[in-house]
Amino acid sequence: MKSFLLKTFTWWNSQTFGTQVWTWLYGEAVGEDEFGNRYFRTKGGKIDPSLGFERRWVIYPGYAEASTIPPSWHGWMHHTVDTPPTQENYTPREWQKPHRPNLTGTPGAYRPPGSTLAQGQRPRATGDYNAWAPGD
């Protein structure tokens, strides 16, 4: 019952019931990435007359967070490339870092030195500015 209610009333928790039906009727699976995101397009790559190109969508395994889409799939989703990553032989270069989702708002977010949220002691002010005083 909980699963049914979540699919009916929440869009941020995986897929809604409507998306599940739409995918079943009109979609074909294209692939899956290392985060468990599943990618779909219209059956046979059919062009949507209202858009002028094929529809492409992703179903997240849990919480819908767009920053979990890796760069290779991002290019395909936004029609930058026509070939999905599952159909090409690509090996990442040794200088490329693995994809990380956006960590803003989480404990893993970047906090520069001097931030009130950073760990430890804040560095002293260097005196590189003059404070405003009335009458100046």
Side-chain angles (χ1 to χ4, degrees), residues 56-103:
R56 297 174 181 173
W57 64 96
V58 59
I59 296 179
Y60 303 98
Y63 184 74
E65 175 57 52
S67 71
T68 61
I69 297 177
S72 56
W73 281 104
H74 183 273
W76 180 79
M77 286 288 297
H78 292 274
H79 300 275
T80 305
V81 295
D82 291 329
T83 308
T86 53
Q87 295 178 0
E88 54 185 24
N89 295 328
Y90 174 76
T91 56
R93 312 267 181 164
E94 65 275 357
W95 47 264
Q96 288 179 309
K97 295 181 178 180
H99 175 71
R100 290 189 335 168
N102 184 355
L103 299 174

Side-chain angles (χ1 to χ4, degrees), residues 15 17-31 38-48 54-59 76:
Q15 64 180 332
F17 183 69
T19 303
Q20 187 175 12
V21 170
W22 175 269
T23 302
W24 181 68
L25 291 174
Y26 303 108
E28 73 179 7
V30 176
R38 296 177 306 158
Y39 299 90
F40 296 88
R41 69 177 178 189
T42 50
K43 287 183 182 175
K46 183 179 175 190
I47 305 297
D48 187 322
E54 73 178 2
R55 286 184 186 262
R56 297 174 181 173
W57 64 96
V58 59
I59 296 179
W76 180 79

Side-chain angles (χ1 to χ4, degrees), residues 108-119:
Y110 174 70
R111 293 180 172 85
S115 168
T116 57
L117 299 174
Q119 298 288 330

